Amino acid sequence: VDCVDPELIHALQEARIPVVLVDAWEVDLGVDGAVQDNYTGAFTAGRWVVERGCRNIAWAGRPVGDSTHSRERFGGAAAALQTGGLNLARKNILEFKTDADPLPALRALLSRKDRPDGVMALWQDVALAARQAADELGLVIGRDFHLIGWAVDENYDSLYAAGFSKTADAPAIVWSATAMADTALRRLMDRRSHPELSPQRISVPTRLRTADVGAKKR
């Protein structure tokens, strides 16, 4: 099941059908899940911008209260900044609903006199919108500010890095869809063979990927 629908999950459990959530999770559902390691990925992203020397850092992403993904990514990013002796100022936190266009708010953010020197846009569409805003304003990523995004490992080159004029300025936290599918299927097989197993959430690893890493892989 690739969504959080308590009624559907309950109905499947009542029918004694094994259930594994795929890239979806909420507490207290009592069901197995294979989910991106959002917290570790976001912590890595936060540490990356701090290591670039950024001190006025912004967060741009989905509303923190909307999903486990949002809460964990915000938590990991905020923890990384706190570890580095920094914090997220309220004026630097932008939140967008899934169907909202993030471009106007990002354009306004990057137009400020005190514009951030680092932006964590840990959703692919938000990161690409930040890149577009920078282009419109004549800002150079890697010079005027640093940007880090989020992408699926399998299409990092074709859908994410391809959106940047210089792929060296297109770092992202990536996760493997293949690994998630394999993990979910293995857990479903375990659940079918051993229905007595306690529900388990399995985190699919995330990692920092840059153009250099991509070149080595190719």
Side-chain angles (χ1 to χ4, degrees), residues 81-162:
L81 267 58
Q82 184 72 20
T83 300
L86 304 171
N87 56 49
L88 277 169
R90 184 67 194 98
K91 67 179 180 179
N92 285 345
I93 299 174
L94 303 182
E95 297 178 288
F96 313 100
K97 290 288 188 180
T98 302
D99 57 352
D101 180 5
L103 183 58
L106 286 164
R107 190 186 296 120
L109 175 76
L110 295 174
S111 297
R112 290 179 357 204
K113 291 183 178 179
D114 64 338
R115 71 168 176 265
D117 53 6
V119 177
M120 297 178 291
L122 304 185
W123 276 262
Q124 179 167 284
D125 63 322
V126 179
L128 293 177
R131 187 272 307 158
Q132 181 179 345
D135 289 348
E136 292 178 3
L137 296 168
L139 300 174
V140 177
I141 296 171
R143 184 194 70 187
D144 297 309
F145 73 101
H146 291 284
L147 172 68
I148 187 165
W150 198 281
V152 179
D153 195 19
E154 287 85 350
N155 58 31
Y156 168 87
D157 290 311
S158 60
L159 295 182
Y160 183 79

Side-chain angles (χ1 to χ4, degrees), residues 19-217:
V19 181
V20 176
L21 294 182
V22 181
D23 204 26
W25 185 257
E26 283 297 337
V27 296
D28 302 326
L29 285 178
V31 65
D32 296 305
V35 189
Q36 298 172 49
D37 190 351
N38 295 295
Y39 179 89
T40 301
F43 189 93
T44 301
R47 185 172 58 191
W48 183 88
V49 293
V50 171
E51 289 174 349
R52 304 281 80 72
C54 301
R55 293 296 178 265
N56 182 25
I57 299 169
W59 160 272
R62 303 286 178 246
V64 176
D66 274 12
S67 71
T68 293
H69 293 300
S70 302
R71 292 192 294 273
E72 292 175 349
R73 291 182 197 179
F74 185 86
L81 267 58
Q82 184 72 20
T83 300
L86 304 171
N87 56 49
L88 277 169
R90 184 67 194 98
K91 67 179 180 179
N92 285 345
I93 299 174
L94 303 182
E95 297 178 288
F96 313 100
K97 290 288 188 180
T98 302
D99 57 352
D101 180 5
L103 183 58
L106 286 164
R107 190 186 296 120
L109 175 76
L110 295 174
S111 297
R112 290 179 357 204
K113 291 183 178 179
D114 64 338
R115 71 168 176 265
D117 53 6
V119 177
M120 297 178 291
L122 304 185
W123 276 262
Q124 179 167 284
D125 63 322
V126 179
L128 293 177
R131 187 272 307 158
Q132 181 179 345
D135 289 348
E136 292 178 3
L137 296 168
L139 300 174
V140 177
I141 296 171
R143 184 194 70 187
D144 297 309
F145 73 101
H146 291 284
L147 172 68
I148 187 165
W150 198 281
V152 179
D153 195 19
E154 287 85 350
N155 58 31
Y156 168 87
D157 290 311
S158 60
L159 295 182
Y160 183 79
F164 292 79
S165 57
K166 292 173 58 181
T167 55
D169 297 323
I173 301 300
V174 298
W175 59 280
S176 170
T178 303
M180 180 170 290
D182 289 345
T183 299
L185 287 172
R186 285 197 302 270
R187 186 57 183 175
L188 185 61
M189 293 171 65
D190 290 342
R191 172 61 59 189
R192 292 182 64 183
S193 301
H194 303 281
E196 76 283 357
L197 290 172
S198 298
Q200 183 180 49
R201 169 182 163 152
I202 305 171
S203 291
V204 175
T206 52
R207 64 181 177 87
L208 175 66
R209 182 167 174 184
T210 66
D212 288 339
V213 173
K216 289 178 183 178
K217 290 186 70 174

